[in-house]
Amino acid sequence: MSKIIHLDKKYIHSENVIFKEIEDELVIVPFSEGIGKIDEAVYSLNKIGHEIWNRLSGEYRLAEVIDQLAELYEGRREIIENDVILLLQDLIQRGFVLEKG
């Protein structure tokens, strides 16, 4: 079940993950997975996903993040908004990102 994403809310990285930039990707690994499941738990983001991740610092509302990305990539805001929301839903479902309380 997908969590409802609010454009007026701020989102932050979970404290239960570590992440590292490796070449052109960002690799995210949760602490909660056992060593035997590490290959299944590793999650990587491409350059654009990495840009989104960097902006999920709790500093900006999601609408502001989308505006920044639309300006950076000179894309249609509606398409970028949809893509950001889909990624954010996945990251939340995996426990990598939380709504800032």
Side-chain angles (χ1 to χ4, degrees), residues 25-84:
E25 294 185 343
L26 182 77
V27 177
I28 305 168
V29 180
F31 288 131
S32 61
E33 295 298 327
I35 296 298
K37 296 183 178 182
I38 195 82
D39 290 339
E40 298 171 23
V42 172
Y43 190 86
S44 68
L45 296 172
N46 63 19
K47 181 180 177 182
I48 295 172
H50 189 177
E51 288 284 349
I52 295 167
W53 177 267
N54 286 342
R55 287 170 169 76
L56 299 176
S57 62
E59 184 178 344
Y60 304 106
R61 292 179 301 108
L62 188 58
E64 294 171 305
V65 169
I66 293 165
D67 289 341
Q68 291 169 4
L69 293 167
E71 185 175 327
L72 179 66
Y73 291 104
E74 299 177 354
R76 288 187 39 212
R77 191 186 188 287
E78 303 82 30
I79 294 171
I80 291 172
E81 179 178 319
N82 186 59
D83 291 347
V84 169

Side-chain angles (χ1 to χ4, degrees), residues 5 43 84-96:
I5 303 298
Y43 190 86
V84 169
I85 288 172
L86 288 173
L87 177 60
L88 186 56
Q89 286 174 329
D90 189 33
L91 293 171
I92 289 171
Q93 184 176 5
R94 292 172 183 273
F96 296 171

Side-chain angles (χ1 to χ4, degrees), residues 11-26:
Y11 293 86
I12 56 172
H13 307 148
S14 169
E15 293 181 358
N16 295 323
V17 298
I18 56 173
F19 50 95
K20 177 82 173 159
E21 185 174 342
I22 300 176
E23 295 184 19
D24 291 336
E25 294 185 343
L26 182 77

